[in-house]
Amino acid sequence: MTDKNFRPDWHYENAGAEFACSVMPGIPFSNDRGAAVKSAAPAAATKRALTAEDYARGILAGDRVMLSRAITVIESNAPKHFELGQEIIQKILPHSGKAIRIGITGVPGAGKSTFIEAFGKYLCGEGHKVAVLAVDPSSSLSKGSILGDKTRMEGLAREKNAFIRPSPSGGSLGGVTRKSRETMLLCEAAGYDAVLVETVGVGQSETTVRSMVDYFLVVVITGAGDELQGIKKGIIELADSILVNKADGDNKMKAMTARADYDQILHYLRPATEGWKTRAYTCSSITGEGIADIWGVIKDFRDTVTESGSFEKRRGEQTIEWVRAMTSEYLRNRIAQNAELAKCREEIERKVIEGTITPTVAAKAVINSMERLLFTGTGER
């Protein structure tokens, strides 16, 4: 092929070079089209897979993109990612544990996300680095997070010293217990000194989050039945502080009254943390009033429980509880994934429905099958 220029038939008379074109050589024809393409174009460079060392180096340098990618590895249910995730955790572990871990819960509508945004922005303004882990319920279809906290904390998401990560509670090995704990360790290694763990406030996730944080805050409001939570002491007895939110405008006096009522209730309950007296406070996430005060309370809490030894004791207990939860989760997964055991269980359950055996006998039969198929390795019936 030459460099000769070709003119189209419709060019203007005496037209210049702008009406000329050159024909470029194409891909040589071949019966083996794949081979022809391969010979005509240079091979693309293969992208190198990141190692645990690469992830750890990026996290310790404060690279938020690398932190996000590492969390994705941790949250993956793929077996190959599990091993890589554990290598990453092992490498960053010596650099974790220095943050204050704060659990935040409350009934839907209490303003948890609004409070967290205001609180997080205040901490960033004070020079802190804030990580927000939102333990969302998981969609039964996609298994992904439902609440979408980044869209509800737009102001905080724009802060350069803030990191927001929704954490779907569904999954396999460890579920929220493993994934949220390990995500928390990654954030601490990346230099975030305040980790806020938000729960949806309607289920077992409150107890789980209590078992992984240092300080547990229950956010309530007035006029929405939240006062009854003082009678249902299940969630209140987990709290290190009660925070009456939306204490502004016409609602301020009601909030002050509610705070006094909660203080009265807390007087009769055993404190959630040894050596610390649980109290109630008020704040407005809109005006910012009381936000600085609650941070002062949290700092007092850390100083008090560190001096008494309760801080390290709780963290040690939480680590052991983590190991036990992982062990239990592994056993549950192994049982659920064994096809032969599932077949035995279905047969036994059918007999229960038909009324030919009692539930007690059925449970014993399932346990016997489990021991035979999973733990003896014989596979005999």
Side-chain angles (χ1 to χ4, degrees), residues 10 84 102 130 133 145 149 186 196 227 230 256 274 291 322:
W10 45 265
L84 175 60
I102 305 169
V130 181
L133 309 181
S145 300
D149 289 81
L186 293 177
L196 313 182
E227 293 85 347
M256 298 296 291
E274 183 180 349
I291 297 292
W322 184 2

Side-chain angles (χ1 to χ4, degrees), residues 34-289:
V37 173
K38 184 175 182 180
S39 63
T46 303
K47 188 175 181 180
R48 182 178 69 87
L50 294 175
T51 66
E53 184 65 37
D54 295 329
Y55 281 109
R57 190 183 304 111
I59 290 168
L60 296 177
D63 186 334
R64 293 206 295 184
V65 173
M66 194 63 77
L67 173 60
S68 296
R69 294 180 66 177
I71 293 173
T72 299
V73 171
I74 292 296
E75 292 181 343
S76 172
N77 294 327
K80 65 177 182 178
H81 290 155
F82 178 81
E83 296 299 331
L84 175 60
Q86 295 313 299
E87 286 186 48
I88 298 170
I89 293 296
Q90 193 64 41
K91 289 183 179 297
I92 60 88
L93 195 58
H95 305 278
S96 64
K98 299 179 178 64
I100 179 71
R101 303 166 181 173
I102 305 169
I104 300 174
T105 191
V107 296
K112 296 186 297 296
S113 294
T114 307
F115 165 73
I116 289 172
E117 180 169 41
F119 186 53
K121 290 174 70 175
Y122 169 79
L123 292 180
C124 288
E126 292 293 304
H128 296 280
K129 292 187 68 177
V130 181
V132 179
L133 309 181
V135 180
D136 280 3
S138 297
S139 165
S140 59
L141 298 177
S142 67
K143 307 303 181 186
S145 300
I146 290 175
L147 297 183
D149 289 81
K150 277 194 173 182
T151 62
R152 296 183 294 125
M153 302 180 192
E154 292 181 3
L156 182 58
R158 288 193 291 267
E159 292 282 347
K160 66 177 182 178
N161 285 332
F163 179 79
I164 303 174
R165 181 77 177 204
S167 181
S169 58
S172 62
L173 185 59
V176 64
T177 305
R178 177 179 71 83
K179 296 176 182 180
S180 294
R181 286 178 188 269
E182 293 180 352
T183 298
M184 188 161 52
L185 295 178
L186 293 177
C187 291
E188 290 177 344
Y192 294 92
D193 58 347
V195 180
L196 313 182
V197 185
E198 179 193 8
T199 79
V200 69
V202 292
Q204 185 62 27
S205 57
E206 282 64 56
T207 304
T208 303
V209 171
R210 165 77 274 186
S211 71
M212 66 174 71
V213 298
D214 306 313
Y215 174 91
F216 197 59
L217 179 68
V218 177
V219 180
V220 299
I221 51 175
T222 63
D226 280 349
E227 293 85 347
L228 293 176
Q229 293 293 339
I231 301 171
K232 304 178 202 173
K233 63 177 185 175
I235 191 170
I236 295 300
E237 65 186 3
L238 298 176
D240 291 306
S241 294
I242 305 293
L243 183 63
V244 184
N245 196 14
K246 304 183 181 180
D248 46 48
D250 295 338
N251 200 49
K252 188 168 184 177
M253 288 305 298
K254 293 179 181 179
M256 298 296 291
T257 302
R259 181 198 62 77
D261 291 342
Y262 276 111
D263 269 339
Q264 185 68 22
I265 293 165
L266 291 168
H267 180 73
Y268 297 99
L269 298 179
R270 181 180 178 179
T273 302
E274 183 180 349
W276 174 256
K277 183 174 177 58
T278 304
R279 299 282 302 274
Y281 306 89
T282 60
C283 87
S284 169
S285 301
I286 303 300
T287 67
E289 184 177 355

